[in-house]
Amino acid sequence: MSFLNRTADRLADDRGDVPGWVLITLMTAGLVLVLWGVAGPALTTVFEQAIDRVSSF
């Protein structure tokens, strides 16, 4: 079986790698939560300062 035939067979298989995608999704969600927890208060402060500067005019 040639390389092209094996590649075509793999592309035709639509099951995918479910455990891999679940792991990637969970890791991404965890990373977002960690970054949000660390940067959230700082971003809130920056946003409030920007609104105060615009509102003061």
Side-chain angles (χ1 to χ4, degrees), residues 9-42:
D9 288 341
R10 288 182 187 161
L11 290 175
D13 184 15
D14 62 353
R15 289 180 298 156
D17 183 16
V18 175
W21 284 110
V22 170
L23 181 62
I24 289 170
T25 303
L26 291 175
M27 289 176 66
T28 302
L31 184 60
V32 167
L33 289 175
V34 168
L35 289 175
W36 193 328
V38 171

